[in-house]
Amino acid sequence: MALLPILSFPDPRLRTIAKPVSEVTDEIRQLAADMFETMYEAPGIGLAATQVDQHIQLIVMDLSEDKTQPMVFINPKVTPLTAETQPYEEGCLSVPQIYDKVDRPSRVKINAMGLDGQAFEMEADGLLAVCIQHEMDHLDGKLFVDYLSPLKRQRAREKVEKIVRQRHKEQVPVKR
Ligand code: K1U
Ligand code: ZN
């Protein structure tokens, strides 16, 4: 398994539209395993392939506190089941240390395929509904900061750029 670098806002690669997966191969299974490792290490509760510079429709998620409920969504489609929206304070591993409220439909239907290649359907509310819509946005090249005001988005950009510069400085140089 491998830890994958996570792209940070405003990297233009985060704006790429993900392509559908045509077949669940060993390569896809390996990518999903690496994405879980990367997400757990971050730590986070979801990760879209876009965030690790892989532009295919693949999402991993685990909303449990003890890493016991891994979920994989391949070629997901999300349909709102209600016009009612609910605000939730979202975070994003590609926009580190920025949290803000986003309104999204509170109940959705998810159609997707699992790593076994089988199609499944489920209904979601609460954090699962929030998280799957946030991850779907990543596959469409969208970020939660796009829902914020231009001023908040600009401040988020400056803060993330500073954090990324600091992280680069702190990286231990490789000894040769
Ligand atoms: O897509 C991502 O960048 C992952 C993101 C998912 C998400 C969280 C909250 C609302 C919507 C989408 C995160 O995982 S941010 C980190 C986070 O929420 C968290 C981290 C550790 C423990 C619990 C939550
Ligand atoms: Zn995100």
Side-chain angles (χ1 to χ4, degrees), residues 71-108:
M71 290 181 279
V72 175
F73 303 90
I74 297 169
N75 299 342
K77 302 262 180 291
V78 172
T79 317
L81 291 175
T82 172
E84 178 207 328
T85 63
Q86 227 173 1
Y88 190 90
E89 182 114 329
E90 298 194 12
C92 180
L93 299 177
S94 295
V95 193
Q97 295 177 37
I98 305 289
Y99 301 89
D100 216 320
K101 280 201 178 113
V102 177
D103 277 301
R104 300 188 190 268
S106 52
R107 285 185 61 238
V108 297

Side-chain angles (χ1 to χ4, degrees), residues 51 91-94 134-135 138 143-144:
Q51 294 175 275
C92 180
L93 299 177
S94 295
H134 175 111
E135 303 307 334
H138 278 303
L143 294 165
F144 87 96

